[in-house]
Structure formats: C-alpha cells, structure tokens
Amino acid sequence: MKSKLSFLLIALVILSLVLAGCAPQATPTAPAEQPAQTEAPQVTEAAAETEAPQPTEAPMETEAPAEEPAAPSGEPIKIGFFSPTTGFAAADGTSALQSAQLAVKIINERGGVLGRPLELVYYDDAAKPDQASAIARKLIEQDKVVAAISGSYSGATRAAAPIFQEAGIPMLSAYAIHPEITKTGNMIFRIGTLATTQGRVGAELVGKVMNLKKVAILTIDNDFGISLTDGFKQHAAEIGLEIVLEEKYPLGETEFRPIIGKIKASGAEVVYATGYYNEAANLVSQARDEGLEIPIIGQEGYDSPKFIELAGPAAEGVIITTDLNRDSERPMTRLFLEQYEATYGEKADMVGASAFDAVMVLAYAINTAGSTDPQAIVKAISELKNFEDVASGPFWYYTPEREVVRPISSQIVRDGAFHLYHEFTDEALVKP
C-alpha cells in the first residue's frame, strides 16, 4: 500500500509540474498588459519633447529686439509730399502734412525702411493745379524721390499724376477722390475711397439705414462734389430714392438761405450735400437758423474739427460718410488719433488719417519689395492683403484699377464730436 501511495503522490507531483510548465502559454492577460506598457509614458514624453518650448521661446527672442529696434542709418529714402498749407484749403493741407510727418517719425522709430531713415520732402501747392505740376517735376528731377504722395485736392492731384506716371515714379493720392486720378496709369494708387463709391454709400445710408425716400441734393461745383453726387444718384435710382430737388453752388459759397428756402418747399425728407468744412458749416448753420430740421448728410469734406468749431450747435446730428472711424479700437487707429492730438494739440481728421496711411503703405511696399525700384514698389502695393498698419483701415486689397477696398464708416456729430453711426462692410457695396 505504501508503495502505491508513494506512486500516486509522485504522479500528482509530476502532473502539477507539467501543468505549471504549461502556464505561460496559457496566459491570456499578457497581450492586454502589453498595450498598457506600449502606451506608456515614453510616447507621451516623446510628444511632449517634440512640442517642446522651442517655438514658444523663438518668438520671445524675435520680440525682444522689436522693443528697441536699431536706429536707421545710411542715406535717407526720400518720398515726395505736396499739400495746400496756404490758401482756402490750408487747414486740410496742414493736417495732411502733420500726419505724414507723424507717420515718418513712427516708422523711423521702428527702424526705418530697409534699415535706412525715411525722409519726407515737402512742398506747398496751395491746392492749385499749376503749382502741383511744378512741384511734381521738382520732386522727380531735383529731389530724386523714389515715390510721392499727394496730400492735396482732386484738381491739384489730377495735374500732378500724369507727370509721375510719365516719369515711372509711384504716386499715392491720399484723399483726392476723383475717378480720373487713378485712371492716369499703373503707377497711380489711391488711399481714400473713390468718390463715386462714397456717393453710393451715401445713398445706401439714406435709403437703407435711415429709411428715407425724398432727397434734396446740393452739389459743390467741382471735381470732388460732382463725382460724389454722380455716385449718389446712380445708387439712388437703383434703390428707389426720389430726388425732389437738385442744386449746385460754387466753391467758397457763404450764403445758402435761397437754396434752403427751395429745400423747405420741396418736401424733402433729407438733404445730401457735398462740400468742404467751410461751406458745410455755413450750410448747416443757416439751415437750422431757417428752421430746416430734416437730416443733413455730408461726406468726408465735412470731416474736420473745423466743421464742428465753425457750425457750433448746428453741427449736432449731422451725419457724414468718411474713411476714419474715430470709435474704432484698432491699435493703429488709436495710436494715430492719440499721438496726433498729443503732438499737435488738436484732434485728427480724415485727410490726416489718409496722409498718414499713404506713408505707412509706401513704407510697407518698399520693405516688402526689399528695394526702392518703382516697379517693385508698385507690385508690392498691388499685392497688399488685409493690411492693418493703417489708421483708416483695414485695407482688404487693391483692385486692378488701383482702388483700395475696405469698410466705409458713417459718423454722426454728438456732443461736439464725431462718433460712429454705421459701418458698411458689404463688399458689393464698398468695392469701387
């Protein structure tokens, strides 16, 4: 019996050893554990290393020098500038010049253009076409500018544009808005909104935003006023506005009472009146004196602190279309408005913003081109997209006809200052 029991015990031991030897093959949990080890921290850590801080640190290194850019050095890059700092348009011309000088100061503080200082070569054209023509030749032949900016009115700008075009020198029209200026040729660009486009927006403001139908139109009898009115009338017909009265008046007009009497008799619900700040101040002052209380819609010619100063309380409620939105929170708009007031002790206006922007666009184009070659500058401006470094922007793009496309603002006078009334962003409406 003992031998049988011993045999059975030995057999059980052998069997248990056999079963134990088979155990690893039967381990079903091993594969489940392995993925857990595969997902292990190495993969996560590797990714973490890949995403490592280098990209974050890199911008910090590039941002550092931006705080203290190297001072520009070498021969200055000259750009020409002309505007009327004497004569009837002296306030606009002075604002344009001061704003252009402010832009040059900011650019040079940022390190200049191509590492060189930017220099503004300036002349007064008194808003006279013959003077603007002579200045254009002087800037090209004597001063050897690489590009030029007109800070003047449409008549003077139209006279200068062909001279720059023939010489192959790029010229930017800051706020002269007559259509013929950019039609001069491929070297001529515009910063301000084309007159007919701004007129179209004026009609949209009256008919679609204010829901008024009967319009009296007053037109200042020059390139500026006529082209604005053309754009207004074309769109007015498209959206069903009724023009119940249309009158023209000469530049420098001071007596509007006879026209105001006609407006009162016409049944008009609103007045669309083109003009500059002097004529506009007389118009609205006399209109309110005569008891004409319907809305008066102007355009960028009114866009000056001088208009509010001259018109006084009569300016309250006047609405204009313009390129400058004073309530914008865009950094470059705030910088321009604040630095202009701090530097010159007065508030900035639309013509100033446009002249400022013209310098910023030229500086961008020269830097982008990496050259002062005229054709390279033209190419860079033509290809500009979503440009934010301007006070009156953003500039979305330029059309092949060298007209800028961007939002257009309307502003209302409230408490003695311009404020946003409506912004037009429909590309079909604001595109020239």
Side-chain angles (χ1 to χ4, degrees), residues 20 24 26 57 62 64 85 99 205 267 277 280 288 300 329 359 367 383 385 391:
E57 291 173 358
T62 56
T85 50
S99 299
L205 171 67
Y277 63 84
R288 300 318 182 207
E300 63 179 47
E329 292 301 323
V359 177
N367 269 329
E383 295 176 352
K385 301 287 182 191

Side-chain angles (χ1 to χ4, degrees), residues 78-85 92-104 119-125 131-132 135-136 138-140 143 145-152 160 164 169-175 191 351-360 362:
K78 294 181 179 180
I79 57 174
F81 190 89
F82 55 99
S83 71
T85 50
D92 279 349
T94 301
S95 171
L97 173 61
Q98 291 178 162
S99 299
Q101 290 171 330
L102 176 61
V104 169
E119 179 181 331
L120 199 69
V121 183
Y122 163 74
Y123 295 101
D124 170 23
D125 72 351
Q131 286 191 209
I135 288 169
K138 198 171 183 179
L139 288 169
I140 296 165
D143 300 307
V145 299
V146 303
I149 295 167
S150 166
S152 194
F164 286 109
I169 300 294
M171 189 199 86
L172 278 62
S173 169
Y175 62 92
I191 296 295
V351 299
S354 297
F356 179 91
D357 291 350
V359 177
M360 301 303 284
L362 263 184

Side-chain angles (χ1 to χ4, degrees), residues 170 186 189 364-365 368-369 373-384:
N186 69 318
F189 291 80
Y364 161 83
T368 301
D373 174 73
Q375 292 298 337
I377 294 172
V378 165
K379 182 174 184 294
I381 299 174
S382 301
E383 295 176 352
L384 175 153

Side-chain angles (χ1 to χ4, degrees), residues 74-407:
E75 185 179 354
I77 293 176
K78 294 181 179 180
I79 57 174
F81 190 89
F82 55 99
S83 71
T85 50
T86 59
F88 77 94
D92 279 349
T94 301
S95 171
L97 173 61
Q98 291 178 162
S99 299
Q101 290 171 330
L102 176 61
V104 169
K105 174 176 175 287
I106 291 171
I107 289 164
N108 285 337
E109 287 173 350
R110 290 176 170 184
V113 177
L114 302 179
R116 295 161 57 187
L118 194 65
E119 179 181 331
L120 199 69
V121 183
Y122 163 74
Y123 295 101
D124 170 23
D125 72 351
K128 295 180 178 177
D130 57 341
Q131 286 191 209
S133 299
I135 288 169
R137 293 190 180 88
K138 198 171 183 179
L139 288 169
I140 296 165
E141 296 166 6
Q142 174 184 298
D143 300 307
K144 309 294 184 187
V145 299
V146 303
I149 295 167
S150 166
S152 194
Y153 284 20
S154 287
T157 306
R158 287 180 69 183
I163 298 167
F164 286 109
Q165 175 67 35
E166 187 177 354
I169 300 294
M171 189 199 86
L172 278 62
S173 169
Y175 62 92
I177 58 177
H178 193 277
E180 292 300 321
I181 293 169
T182 44
K183 289 180 181 176
T184 303
N186 69 318
M187 308 303 288
I188 313 300
F189 291 80
R190 196 190 320 272
I191 296 295
T193 298
L194 179 67
T196 47
T197 303
Q198 191 174 158
R200 181 198 306 154
V201 171
E204 184 84 357
L205 171 67
V206 167
K208 296 292 185 66
V209 178
M210 303 177 73
N211 293 314
L212 300 173
K213 296 296 181 188
K214 295 182 178 180
V215 189
I217 297 178
L218 270 64
T219 302
I220 189 167
D221 194 8
N222 64 3
D223 286 348
F224 173 75
I226 291 171
S227 49
L228 279 162
T229 294
D230 286 348
F232 184 95
K233 289 171 66 177
Q234 182 179 355
H235 193 52
E238 293 169 351
I239 61 175
L241 299 185
E242 180 184 358
I243 298 171
V244 296
L245 178 73
E246 188 170 358
E247 293 277 341
K248 285 185 179 177
Y249 67 91
L251 176 68
E253 180 62 87
T254 59
E255 182 51 66
F256 289 90
R257 287 182 175 81
I259 295 177
I260 291 167
K262 292 181 183 179
I263 296 171
K264 292 175 73 173
S266 71
E269 299 172 316
V270 59
V271 179
Y272 180 73
T274 62
Y276 304 108
Y277 63 84
N278 275 319
E279 292 87 2
N282 283 320
L283 168 65
V284 302
S285 297
Q286 294 168 23
R288 300 318 182 207
D289 285 347
E290 294 297 314
L292 183 68
E293 298 298 336
I294 60 177
I296 297 177
I297 309 302
Q299 25 54 52
E300 63 179 47
Y302 294 40
D303 191 334
S304 166
K306 286 288 182 185
F307 166 69
I308 297 174
E309 175 187 327
L310 294 172
E316 291 292 310
V318 170
I319 302 171
I320 65 171
T321 53
T322 181
D323 291 330
L324 178 59
N325 176 10
R326 291 169 175 77
D327 289 337
S328 171
E329 292 301 323
R330 295 178 58 255
M332 188 51 74
T333 305
R334 300 310 328 156
L335 183 146
F336 167 69
L337 293 173
E338 291 163 10
Q339 288 212 12
Y340 187 93
E341 188 168 3
T343 303
Y344 302 111
E346 58 188 23
K347 294 188 180 301
D349 57 16
M350 182 283 306
V351 299
S354 297
F356 179 91
D357 291 350
V359 177
M360 301 303 284
V361 168
L362 263 184
Y364 161 83
I366 296 170
N367 269 329
T368 301
S371 162
T372 56
D373 174 73
Q375 292 298 337
I377 294 172
V378 165
K379 182 174 184 294
I381 299 174
S382 301
E383 295 176 352
L384 175 153
K385 301 287 182 191
N386 298 321
F387 188 54
E388 289 282 355
D389 221 10
V390 281
S392 66
F395 287 5
W396 291 339
Y397 61 91
Y398 269 93
T399 69
E401 294 77 26
R402 299 166 302 286
E403 302 288 352
V404 68
V405 183
R406 41 91 171 280

